[in-house]
Amino acid sequence: MKKITTNLDNFQYFYPYTVNIVGAQSGEQINYMACAWHSALSFDPPLFGVLISKKRLTHQIISQAREFTVNFIGFDQVKLSAQMGRISGHDKDKIKECQVELAPAKIIRSPILAQAYVCLENRLIDVRPYGDHDLFVGEVLAVHEDEGCFDLNGALDAAKIQPLLYLGSDLYITIAPESLKHVLPD
Ligand SMILES: Cc1cc2nc3c(=O)[nH]c(=O)nc-3n(C[C@H](O)[C@H](O)[C@H](O)COP(=O)(O)O)c2cc1C
């Protein structure tokens, strides 16, 4: 296909992104937001990073709480992503007004989301600015997953979980399980 050189703002168009719902509890205040910029950072110790703009209430809450949970949701939870990603806790109590099902975490105080298929409990160990976003690095203290959604080798069972994928501009899609291939180098 012919390449066109486009403007620099398009650097982030390496879609699809997987979407998680990240947030924390600080005092009595609980807030979560949709997050597409995230990554596992290290196996040992297990570290996970999320990039959060200073404008987000979630930035403030995680900074205060010094912990956060990361909650990966399926395509059936697409509405939750739109709510948590297009409404700010600065304007509305999203936990009260949206269909967020909180569940107690095992180790930290901040809740996990019951409707997520994988939840990570993290202790905040570092925050670093990168331009207009800050990288929040968490040490993963506990992992919760829906029973049976990974096979014995740790691969996601595509027949059971349809991960939520983001294509930009409020467009979402999911995987096509019939495209599954097990591929090894020759
Ligand atoms: C699919 C999706 C992914 C998003 N990913 C990020 C992200 O990685 N980092 C970020 O700072 N904002 C991201 N946002 C924007 C925030 O989720 C949004 O501004 C949210 O309303 C912030 O809520 P808060 O102010 O309650 O924290 C994303 C929005 C959507 C819809």
Side-chain angles (χ1 to χ4, degrees):
M1 206 182 272
K2 184 174 174 284
K3 300 274 177 291
I4 52 163
T5 301
T6 180
N7 66 65
L8 285 179
D9 290 347
N10 294 8
F11 84 95
Q12 48 139 339
Y13 291 2
F14 47 94
Y15 299 121
Y17 294 135
T18 50
V19 181
N20 68 55
I21 307 295
V22 64
Q25 173 165 6
S26 166
E28 292 314 305
Q29 201 175 12
I30 299 176
N31 197 69
Y32 286 81
M33 62 165 236
C35 174
W37 287 5
H38 56 78
S39 182
L41 300 172
S42 159
F43 283 122
D44 185 16
L47 300 178
F48 194 88
V50 286
L51 285 138
I52 304 181
S53 159
K54 287 186 181 62
K55 295 179 193 158
R56 320 290 185 227
L57 178 62
T58 306
H59 187 289
Q60 187 185 312
I61 300 290
I62 296 178
S63 302
Q64 291 164 358
R66 310 296 303 167
E67 61 178 36
F68 58 99
T69 69
V70 171
N71 304 273
F72 285 91
I73 53 174
F75 191 61
D76 59 330
Q77 298 296 321
V78 62
K79 188 83 183 180
L80 186 68
S81 177
Q83 291 170 329
M84 306 311 271
R86 288 289 173 233
I87 302 168
S88 173
H90 286 301
D91 305 320
K92 240 185 206 180
D93 185 340
K94 288 187 269 188
I95 304 303
K96 275 206 187 116
E97 300 199 20
C98 309
Q99 274 75 56
V100 188
E101 296 162 32
L102 300 178
K106 282 261 156 60
I107 297 178
I108 65 176
R109 181 158 182 256
S110 300
I112 56 175
L113 264 60
Q115 64 257 71
Y117 63 91
V118 171
C119 309
L120 311 178
E121 294 185 36
N122 300 291
R123 181 173 62 90
L124 183 66
I125 61 160
D126 197 22
V127 184
R128 271 169 212 256
Y130 288 97
D132 54 14
H133 279 60
D134 286 355
L135 174 63
F136 287 73
V137 179
E139 180 182 358
V140 182
L141 303 179
V143 181
H144 311 283
E145 64 191 38
D146 279 0
E147 201 174 355
C149 74
F150 292 91
D151 72 12
L152 292 176
N153 299 316
L156 185 75
D157 186 337
K160 291 192 180 138
I161 301 287
Q162 284 75 53
L164 182 60
L165 304 176
Y166 187 61
L167 297 180
S169 297
D170 301 302
L171 294 168
Y172 296 88
I173 199 164
T174 190
I175 55 172
E178 65 277 10
S179 65
L180 185 69
K181 271 188 191 168
H182 186 228
V183 184
L184 294 170
D186 294 331

